[in-house]
Amino acid sequence: MMLFLFPAVFLAGVAAVLGFLGYGIQTLVRHGVRRSGAVPVLRAGAAFAGAVATAVYLWGTLYVAGAVLEAEDGGAGSAPLPPCRIAGREEEVGHVIDYTVDFVPLRFFCETSDGGGYATHDVPGYVNPAAASLALTAASLAIAAGFASERRARTDAGRRRMR
């Protein structure tokens, strides 16, 4: 069942990446990089950071999808689940009963019979921090663009009143 969710997440992510890139390029082309001022550059930077954050997250979902495919494979040698076989966790591996996938943070989680569990190393260690920091950068740039736009609007309104 979990496997059917990945194509939807992946397609939505690809659409978001293309949308962010399109918006960023359109903003820079429409205003021009040199003569545009800070607001369009901040907006385009936010869009590009959002595109890269989404692309990094999608990269991680491919790793999780691979782990799910491996776990759902069945057949000989499928117990315990292959993604859950981690060196140093031999004692817990024998008690694995199921798995879950967490999308935030992105990880493949092996559940044990005692109610606990552990995350595997299927998602590279850089994916979650990189996606989070790039998303935070995108949000910060978008907020900065909003403040810069508001400041410019107030300055323009003040100039109009003085005429």
Side-chain angles (χ1 to χ4, degrees), residues 41-136:
V41 171
L42 288 171
R43 287 180 182 162
F48 293 142
V52 176
T54 306
V56 168
Y57 183 83
L58 288 178
W59 182 250
T61 61
L62 289 176
Y63 281 99
V64 172
V68 169
L69 281 173
E70 193 176 16
E72 294 290 330
D73 189 29
S78 62
L81 298 172
C84 296
R85 297 177 193 161
I86 299 174
R89 296 231 184 229
E90 288 83 9
E91 189 174 304
E92 293 174 295
V93 169
H95 299 286
V96 171
I97 57 170
D98 202 5
Y99 71 90
T100 57
V101 172
D102 294 333
F103 286 96
V104 178
L106 192 58
R107 67 183 181 165
F108 186 90
F109 192 79
C110 299
E111 298 174 352
T112 56
S113 58
D114 64 356
Y118 56 93
T120 65
H121 302 295
D122 287 305
V123 178
Y126 64 86
V127 169
N128 286 315
S133 63
L134 285 163
L136 184 60

Side-chain angles (χ1 to χ4, degrees), residues 9-65:
V9 169
F10 193 78
L11 289 175
V14 169
V17 168
L18 294 175
F20 284 137
L21 287 176
Y23 178 78
I25 291 169
Q26 176 190 12
T27 300
L28 289 179
V29 168
R30 185 177 349 125
H31 296 282
V33 177
R34 293 183 185 246
R35 57 186 159 77
S36 64
V39 175
V41 171
L42 288 171
R43 287 180 182 162
F48 293 142
V52 176
T54 306
V56 168
Y57 183 83
L58 288 178
W59 182 250
T61 61
L62 289 176
Y63 281 99
V64 172

